Coordinates of all heavy atoms in Angstrom, one line a residue:
M1 N 0.8 -1.2 0.0 CA 0.0 0.0 0.0 C 0.9 1.2 0.0 O 1.8 1.3 0.8 CB -0.9 0.0 1.2 CG -1.8 1.2 1.3 SD -2.8 1.3 2.8 CE -4.2 0.4 2.3
T2 N 0.6 2.2 -0.9 CA 1.4 3.4 -1.0 C 0.7 4.5 -0.3 O -0.5 4.6 -0.3 CB 1.7 3.8 -2.4 OG1 0.4 4.1 -3.0 CG2 2.4 2.7 -3.2
T3 N 1.5 5.4 0.3 CA 0.9 6.5 1.0 C 1.1 7.7 0.1 O 2.1 7.9 -0.6 CB 1.7 6.8 2.3 OG1 3.0 7.0 2.0 CG2 1.5 5.6 3.3
P4 N 0.1 8.6 0.1 CA 0.1 9.8 -0.8 C 1.2 10.7 -0.3 O 1.5 10.7 0.9 CB -1.2 10.4 -0.7 CG -1.8 9.9 0.6 CD -1.2 8.5 0.8
P5 N 1.9 11.4 -1.2 CA 2.9 12.3 -0.7 C 2.3 13.4 0.2 O 1.2 13.9 0.0 CB 3.5 13.0 -2.0 CG 2.4 12.8 -3.0 CD 1.6 11.5 -2.6
S6 N 3.0 13.7 1.3 CA 2.5 14.7 2.2 C 2.7 16.1 1.6 O 3.8 16.4 1.2 CB 3.2 14.5 3.6 OG 4.6 14.8 3.4
T7 N 1.6 16.8 1.6 CA 1.6 18.2 1.1 C 1.6 19.1 2.3 O 0.8 18.8 3.3 CB 0.5 18.5 0.2 OG1 -0.7 18.2 0.8 CG2 0.6 17.6 -1.1
P8 N 2.3 20.2 2.3 CA 2.2 21.1 3.5 C 0.8 21.7 3.5 O 0.1 21.9 2.5 CB 3.2 22.2 3.1 CG 3.4 22.1 1.7 CD 3.1 20.7 1.3
P9 N 0.3 22.0 4.7 CA -1.0 22.6 4.9 C -1.1 23.9 4.2 O -0.1 24.7 4.3 CB -1.2 22.7 6.4 CG 0.1 22.6 7.0 CD 1.0 21.8 6.0
R10 N -2.2 24.2 3.6 CA -2.4 25.5 2.9 C -2.5 26.6 3.9 O -3.1 26.4 4.9 CB -3.5 25.4 1.9 CG -3.3 24.5 0.8 CD -4.5 24.4 -0.1 NE -5.1 25.7 -0.4 CZ -6.3 25.8 -0.9 NH1 -7.0 24.7 -1.2 NH2 -6.8 27.0 -1.2
D11 N -2.0 27.8 3.5 CA -2.1 28.9 4.4 C -3.5 29.5 4.2 O -3.8 30.0 3.1 CB -1.1 30.0 4.0 CG -1.0 31.1 5.0 OD1 -1.6 31.0 6.1 OD2 -0.4 32.1 4.7
R12 N -4.4 29.5 5.2 CA -5.7 29.9 5.1 C -5.9 31.3 5.7 O -7.0 31.8 5.9 CB -6.7 28.9 5.7 CG -6.6 27.6 5.0 CD -7.6 26.6 5.6 NE -8.9 27.0 5.3 CZ -9.8 26.3 4.6 NH1 -9.5 25.2 4.2 NH2 -11.0 26.8 4.4
R13 N -4.8 32.0 6.1 CA -5.0 33.3 6.7 C -5.7 34.3 5.8 O -6.5 35.1 6.3 CB -3.6 33.8 7.1 CG -3.2 33.3 8.5 CD -1.9 33.8 8.9 NE -0.9 33.0 8.2 CZ 0.4 33.2 8.3 NH1 0.9 34.2 9.0 NH2 1.2 32.4 7.6
P14 N -5.4 34.4 4.5 CA -6.1 35.4 3.7 C -7.6 35.1 3.7 O -8.4 36.1 3.7 CB -5.5 35.2 2.3 CG -4.1 34.6 2.5 CD -4.3 33.8 3.8
L15 N -8.0 33.9 3.6 CA -9.4 33.5 3.6 C -10.0 33.9 5.0 O -11.2 34.4 5.0 CB -9.6 32.0 3.4 CG -11.1 31.5 3.4 CD1 -11.9 32.2 2.3 CD2 -11.1 30.0 3.2
T16 N -9.3 33.7 6.0 CA -9.8 34.0 7.4 C -10.0 35.5 7.5 O -11.0 36.0 8.0 CB -8.9 33.5 8.5 OG1 -8.7 32.1 8.3 CG2 -9.4 33.8 9.8
V17 N -9.0 36.3 7.0 CA -9.1 37.7 7.1 C -10.3 38.2 6.3 O -11.1 39.1 6.7 CB -7.8 38.4 6.6 CG1 -7.9 39.9 6.5 CG2 -6.7 38.1 7.6
F18 N -10.4 37.7 5.1 CA -11.5 38.1 4.2 C -12.9 37.8 4.9 O -13.8 38.6 4.9 CB -11.4 37.4 2.9 CG -12.6 37.6 2.0 CD1 -12.7 38.9 1.3 CD2 -13.6 36.7 1.7 CE1 -13.8 39.1 0.5 CE2 -14.6 36.9 0.9 CZ -14.7 38.2 0.3
A19 N -13.0 36.6 5.5 CA -14.3 36.2 6.1 C -14.6 37.1 7.3 O -15.7 37.6 7.5 CB -14.2 34.8 6.6
W20 N -13.6 37.5 8.1 CA -13.8 38.4 9.2 C -14.2 39.8 8.8 O -15.1 40.4 9.3 CB -12.5 38.5 10.1 CG -12.5 37.4 11.1 CD1 -11.7 36.3 11.1 CD2 -13.2 37.3 12.4 NE1 -11.9 35.6 12.2 CE2 -12.8 36.2 13.0 CE3 -14.2 38.2 12.9 CZ2 -13.4 35.8 14.2 CZ3 -14.7 37.8 14.2 CH2 -14.3 36.6 14.8
L21 N -13.6 40.2 7.7 CA -14.0 41.6 7.2 C -15.4 41.5 6.6 O -16.1 42.5 6.7 CB -12.9 42.0 6.1 CG -11.6 42.4 6.6 CD1 -10.6 42.7 5.5 CD2 -11.7 43.6 7.6
W22 N -15.7 40.4 5.9 CA -17.0 40.3 5.2 C -18.1 40.4 6.3 O -19.2 40.9 6.0 CB -17.1 38.9 4.5 CG -18.3 38.7 3.7 CD1 -19.4 38.0 4.1 CD2 -18.5 39.1 2.4 NE1 -20.3 38.0 3.1 CE2 -19.8 38.6 2.0 CE3 -17.8 39.8 1.4 CZ2 -20.4 38.9 0.8 CZ3 -18.3 40.1 0.2 CH2 -19.6 39.6 -0.1
V23 N -17.9 39.8 7.5 CA -18.9 39.9 8.5 C -18.7 41.1 9.4 O -19.7 41.8 9.8 CB -18.8 38.6 9.4 CG1 -19.7 38.7 10.6 CG2 -19.1 37.4 8.5
G24 N -17.5 41.4 9.7 CA -17.2 42.5 10.7 C -17.5 43.9 10.3 O -18.0 44.7 11.0
L25 N -17.2 44.2 9.0 CA -17.5 45.6 8.5 C -19.0 45.9 8.5 O -19.3 47.0 9.1 CB -16.8 45.8 7.1 CG -15.3 45.8 7.1 CD1 -14.8 46.0 5.7 CD2 -14.8 47.0 8.0
P26 N -19.8 45.1 7.9 CA -21.3 45.4 8.0 C -21.8 45.4 9.5 O -22.6 46.3 9.8 CB -22.0 44.3 7.2 CG -20.9 43.8 6.3 CD -19.6 43.9 7.1
L27 N -21.3 44.5 10.3 CA -21.7 44.5 11.7 C -21.3 45.8 12.4 O -22.1 46.4 13.1 CB -21.1 43.3 12.4 CG -21.4 43.1 13.9 CD1 -22.9 42.9 14.1 CD2 -20.6 42.0 14.5
G28 N -20.0 46.2 12.2 CA -19.6 47.4 12.8 C -20.4 48.6 12.4 O -20.7 49.5 13.2
Y29 N -20.6 48.7 11.1 CA -21.4 49.8 10.5 C -22.8 49.8 11.1 O -23.3 50.9 11.5 CB -21.4 49.8 9.0 CG -22.3 50.9 8.4 CD1 -21.8 52.2 8.4 CD2 -23.5 50.6 7.9 CE1 -22.5 53.2 7.8 CE2 -24.3 51.6 7.3 CZ -23.8 52.9 7.3 OH -24.5 53.9 6.8
G30 N -23.4 48.6 11.2 CA -24.8 48.5 11.8 C -24.8 49.0 13.2 O -25.7 49.7 13.6
L31 N -23.8 48.6 14.0 CA -23.8 49.0 15.4 C -23.6 50.5 15.5 O -24.2 51.1 16.4 CB -22.6 48.2 16.1 CG -22.9 46.7 16.4 CD1 -21.7 46.1 17.0 CD2 -24.1 46.5 17.3
Y32 N -22.7 51.0 14.6 CA -22.5 52.5 14.6 C -23.8 53.2 14.4 O -24.2 54.2 15.0 CB -21.4 52.9 13.6 CG -21.4 54.3 13.4 CD1 -20.7 55.2 14.3 CD2 -21.9 54.9 12.2 CE1 -20.7 56.6 14.0 CE2 -21.9 56.3 12.0 CZ -21.3 57.1 12.9 OH -21.2 58.4 12.7
E33 N -24.5 52.8 13.3 CA -25.8 53.4 13.0 C -26.8 53.3 14.1 O -27.6 54.2 14.4 CB -26.4 52.8 11.7 CG -25.6 53.2 10.5 CD -25.8 54.7 10.2 OE1 -27.0 55.2 10.3 OE2 -24.9 55.4 9.7
L34 N -26.8 52.1 14.8 CA -27.8 51.9 15.9 C -27.5 52.9 17.0 O -28.4 53.5 17.5 CB -27.6 50.4 16.4 CG -28.5 50.1 17.6 CD1 -30.0 50.1 17.2 CD2 -28.1 48.7 18.1
V35 N -26.2 53.0 17.4 CA -25.9 53.9 18.5 C -26.2 55.3 18.1 O -26.7 56.1 18.9 CB -24.4 53.7 18.9 CG1 -24.0 54.8 19.8 CG2 -24.2 52.4 19.5
H36 N -25.9 55.7 16.9 CA -26.2 57.0 16.4 C -27.7 57.3 16.4 O -28.1 58.4 16.9 CB -25.7 57.2 15.0 CG -25.8 58.5 14.4 ND1 -25.1 59.6 14.8 CD2 -26.6 59.0 13.4 CE1 -25.4 60.7 14.1 NE2 -26.3 60.4 13.3
K37 N -28.5 56.4 16.0 CA -30.0 56.7 16.0 C -30.6 56.6 17.4 O -31.5 57.4 17.7 CB -30.7 55.6 15.1 CG -30.3 55.9 13.6 CD -31.1 55.0 12.7 CE -30.6 55.3 11.3 NZ -31.5 54.8 10.3
V38 N -30.0 55.8 18.2 CA -30.5 55.8 19.6 C -30.2 57.1 20.3 O -31.0 57.6 21.1 CB -30.0 54.6 20.4 CG1 -30.2 54.7 21.9 CG2 -30.6 53.3 19.8
T39 N -29.0 57.6 20.1 CA -28.7 58.9 20.7 C -29.5 60.0 20.2 O -29.9 60.9 20.9 CB -27.2 59.2 20.6 OG1 -26.8 59.2 19.2 CG2 -26.3 58.2 21.3
Q40 N -29.8 60.0 18.9 CA -30.7 61.0 18.3 C -32.1 60.9 18.9 O -32.8 61.9 19.2 CB -30.8 60.8 16.8 CG -29.6 61.4 16.1 CD -29.8 61.2 14.6 OE1 -30.6 60.5 14.1 NE2 -29.0 62.0 13.8
L41 N -32.6 59.6 19.2 CA -33.9 59.4 19.7 C -34.0 60.0 21.1 O -35.0 60.6 21.4 CB -34.2 57.9 19.7 CG -35.5 57.5 20.3 CD1 -36.6 57.9 19.4 CD2 -35.5 55.9 20.5
F42 N -33.0 59.8 21.9 CA -33.1 60.3 23.3 C -32.7 61.8 23.4 O -33.0 62.4 24.4 CB -32.3 59.4 24.2 CG -32.9 58.1 24.4 CD1 -32.4 56.9 23.9 CD2 -34.1 58.0 25.2 CE1 -33.0 55.7 24.1 CE2 -34.7 56.8 25.4 CZ -34.1 55.6 24.9
R43 N -32.0 62.3 22.5 CA -31.6 63.8 22.6 C -32.7 64.6 22.0 O -32.8 65.8 22.3 CB -30.3 64.0 21.8 CG -29.1 63.5 22.5 CD -27.9 64.0 21.9 NE -26.7 63.4 22.5 CZ -25.5 63.5 22.1 NH1 -25.2 64.1 20.9 NH2 -24.5 62.9 22.7
G44 N -33.6 64.1 21.2 CA -34.7 64.9 20.7 C -34.6 65.3 19.4 O -34.4 65.2 18.4

């Protein structure tokens, strides 16, 4: 039985950074807008 040649693990850091930005930027913007509108609501 032959074993497949071992390949080094792929670097997934760029994909991880992209995924965090894909989720984090809209989330951050939404939280900013929420805080902004809530402060406007209570200030009048």
Side-chain angles (χ1 to χ4, degrees):
M1 181 185 270
T2 61
T3 59
S6 63
T7 58
R10 292 175 45 191
D11 187 15
R12 298 182 69 121
R13 274 179 281 177
L15 178 63
T16 303
V17 169
F18 176 73
W20 274 103
L21 290 176
W22 185 265
V23 173
L25 289 177
L27 178 65
Y29 178 73
L31 289 174
Y32 168 77
E33 286 292 319
L34 176 67
V35 170
H36 184 70
K37 289 184 182 195
V38 167
T39 55
Q40 283 181 341
L41 180 66
F42 287 109
R43 285 189 184 171

